[in-house]
Amino acid sequence: MRKIALVNQKGGCGKTTTAVNLASCLAGKGRKVLLVDLDPQGHAGFALGVKPDQIEESIYEVLSGKMPSSEAIKTLGKNLDAIFSNVVLSAFEQVMAGVPEREFRLAEGLRDIEEDYEYLIIDCPPSVGLLTFNALMACDEAIIPVDSSAFSVHGLAKLLETIQLIEQQAGHGLTFKILATNVDRRTNFSNRVVETLRARFPKNCFKTGINTCTRLREAAAAGKPIAAYDKHCAAFLDYQQLMKEILRQETKMKAKSFALKSFVEAKEEGKASVEKEVAFMIEAPEDASVQIAGDFNSWTPESLHLTHSHGRPVWQKAIRLSPGLYQYKYLVDGRWVSDPSNKKRADDFFGGKNSVINV
Ligand SMILES: Nc1ncnc2c1ncn2[C@@H]1O[C@H](COP(=O)(O)OP(=O)(O)O)[C@@H](O)[C@H]1O
Ligand SMILES: [Mg+2]
C-alpha cells in the first residue's frame, strides 16, 4: 500500500481538497483507496457530503484503541472507503499526554487493513502536533500543498525541517513532494511562487500545479468530489494530471522501522519548559501596515501596533514563546523584510533570509 499524507501547518492551502480529489481520482482509475481524515474540523467529511453528526465511528475510536479500523470504515463508492473525523478528535493530544509511543497510534491502528488497499491518503490538520506526527509516521510519502496565491511558502522551511528531524531522530524515511495549489497564471506573484518552488526544489515538486478554480469550492459545498461535480473544469483536469504523476511514481513500498525513540516526547519536553515574552519591534512609517509571521504562528501574519520611541514610529508586538529556535519575518505594506535589528539569519529556501531568534 502506498501511504501518502497531505501536510502543511498552514490552513487553507488545499490539503483537504487535494486529499478528497486525489483519493476520488485514484479510485476512479481502479485503485482501492482508503481516505483518512485526521483533522478534528472534519472537512474531508463535509467535502464528501458526510455531516459530523452522521459520524459515529471515527478515527478517534481507532487512535484511542476502542475500535479496530475495519469497523470505522465507511464505503463511499466503488474503490473508495474513508474513515472520517469530528471534533472529538481534538481531545486526542490531551488524552494521550504521557502515553508512550503515542505517535504510532495511527500506524498501529491501520495495520490490520494494510492488505486491503493500494492507497492510503491522509488529510492532516493545519498544525504540526501529535496528529500530524501520527500521519507522518504512518506514511512513506508526504504531499505538501502550497497555496501559490498566498504567503504560505514561508512555513515550508519549518515543515521540511520537521520531516528531516523525523528521519534523523526517528529513523523513519519519508519522501516529500510540493504541490503548487491555487495557481493563478494571470498574476505575477503566483507565477513567481511556482517558479521559485521549482527552482529551489527541482526534484521535489510535482510538475502538475492545481489552478484556481471556483468549481472546487462549489463541489466541496455540494459534498462531492470534482469528478462527480464537473468533469470539464480546470481543476478536474489538474487532479487527473496529478493522479497520473502519482501513478507514474508507483514504487515498492519502503520498509519501515518501528524501533524508535519517542520523537514527540522529546519535542514536548521542550514545550513544557517556561515560556518567555519576546518583544518584536521594527521601525516603519506611521501609515504603514506592519505584520509579523513566523514559526510561532504558522506563518500567518499578525498585526503589530504602533508606538513611538524618541519621536520615531516603532511597531511592536509581544509574543509568548517556549524555548527554542524560531524563524520569522516582518511584512511591511505587503513586502517581506528581515528584522533589521537582528543579524541572525537563515536561508528561507526562496532566495531570501528569515530572521532567527533563539529563546
Ligand atoms: N485550486 C483551488 N481553487 C479554488 N479554491 C480552492 C482551491 N483549492 C482549495 N480551494 C478552496 O479553498 C478552501 C481551503 O481549501 P482546503 O482544501 O480546505 O485547505 P486546507 O485543508 O489546507 O485547510 C476551501 O474552501 C476550498 O474549496
Ligand atoms: Mg483541511
Side-chain angles (χ1 to χ4, degrees):
M1 179 164 68
R2 259 178 95 174
K3 302 167 187 170
I4 305 174
L6 272 299
V7 56
N8 191 335
Q9 68 272 42
K10 193 96 177 63
C13 58
K15 290 181 289 296
T16 304
T17 307
T18 303
V20 163
N21 288 297
L22 180 59
S24 135
C25 286
L26 286 164
K29 192 76 182 164
R31 300 296 192 278
K32 192 101 179 69
V33 183
L34 177 67
L35 170 69
V36 171
D37 186 2
L38 217 55
D39 183 354
Q41 297 176 101
H43 289 168
F46 277 112
L48 288 164
V50 179
K51 302 210 168 56
D53 54 5
Q54 294 174 318
I55 301 165
E56 278 168 23
E57 297 89 12
S58 73
I59 193 66
Y60 180 76
E61 276 72 42
V62 178
L63 290 168
S64 52
K66 290 186 189 136
M67 186 180 279
S69 49
S70 52
E71 285 179 29
I73 290 173
K74 303 273 174 290
T75 298
L76 299 176
K78 194 166 175 236
N79 298 325
L80 182 57
D81 289 353
I83 306 180
F84 289 118
S85 89
N86 53 27
V87 69
V88 179
L89 185 59
S90 50
F92 179 65
E93 193 140 346
Q94 211 176 357
V95 170
M96 283 290 135
V99 176
E101 311 229 311
R102 56 197 175 280
E103 63 272 37
F104 302 111
R105 286 293 180 132
L106 184 64
E108 300 281 340
L110 296 178
R111 200 173 286 169
D112 56 338
I113 47 98
E114 177 124 18
E115 302 297 314
D116 302 343
Y117 297 93
E118 289 163 279
Y119 278 86
L120 168 70
I121 307 284
I122 301 181
D123 184 21
C124 290
S127 59
V128 184
L130 183 57
L131 287 166
T132 296
F133 280 120
N134 265 272
L136 294 175
M137 290 300 186
C139 288
D140 304 305
E141 299 170 54
I143 295 180
I144 306 174
V146 171
D147 182 346
S148 53
S149 70
F151 299 112
S152 56
V153 286
H154 287 275
L156 257 186
K158 186 72 183 174
L159 185 57
L160 298 181
E161 189 188 301
T162 303
I163 290 177
Q164 239 167 29
L165 271 174
I166 285 182
E167 183 148 21
Q168 286 161 3
Q169 298 194 10
H172 176 63
L174 198 67
T175 59
F176 75 90
K177 274 209 151 185
I178 295 168
L179 174 69
T181 57
N182 242 322
V183 180
D184 186 347
R185 307 218 183 263
R186 294 163 306 176
T187 70
N188 282 339
F189 182 79
S190 191
N191 288 328
R192 232 179 29 237
V193 169
V194 175
E195 276 165 26
T196 314
L197 285 172
R198 293 200 173 136
R200 180 63 190 83
F201 304 101
K203 295 204 176 101
N204 293 88
C205 279
F206 283 103
K207 290 198 178 72
T208 310
I210 310 296
N211 285 288
T212 303
C213 176
T214 48
R215 301 296 270 168
L216 276 176
R217 278 179 205 276
E218 293 169 18
K224 289 180 179 172
I226 195 70
Y229 189 77
D230 183 353
K231 278 198 169 154
H232 302 286
C233 68
F236 174 72
L237 301 176
D238 291 341
Y239 277 113
Q240 283 289 313
Q241 205 57 42
L242 176 67
M243 172 202 70
K244 285 182 194 157
E245 230 182 291
I246 287 174
L247 290 180
R248 281 200 293 273
Q249 304 164 344
E250 280 184 349
T251 50
K252 282 189 187 156
M253 224 188 88
K254 273 195 233 146
K256 280 201 331 185
S257 149
F258 277 92
L260 326 165
K261 90 170 229 42
S262 172
F263 177 62
V264 171
E265 261 161 35
K267 282 222 109 172
E268 282 180 2
E269 268 164 31
K271 233 199 255 172
S273 7
V274 203
E275 285 186 345
K276 283 197 182 132
E277 194 164 85
V278 180
F280 291 91
M281 53 184 80
I282 182 169
E283 191 177 327
E286 286 187 1
D287 59 352
S289 146
V290 184
Q291 293 171 298
I292 185 167
D295 294 332
F296 37 77
N297 62 8
S298 300
W299 291 88
T300 307
E302 289 177 48
S303 295
L304 276 73
H305 57 263
L306 178 65
T307 58
H308 288 91
S309 169
H310 304 291
R312 304 176 73 91
V314 173
W315 293 80
Q316 66 171 16
K317 184 172 182 78
I319 299 178
R320 294 190 72 78
L321 298 175
S322 322
L325 269 184
Y326 299 87
Q327 297 191 15
Y328 66 98
K329 245 181 190 165
Y330 293 105
L331 193 56
V332 179
D333 285 334
R335 224 167 36 85
W336 289 99
V337 289
S338 314
D339 187 344
S341 65
N342 179 359
K343 289 209 167 58
K344 243 179 133 182
R345 307 260 162 102
D347 188 350
D348 68 1
F349 286 108
F350 299 97
K353 296 280 178 200
N354 288 336
S355 298
V356 179
I357 184 166
N358 191 1
V359 179

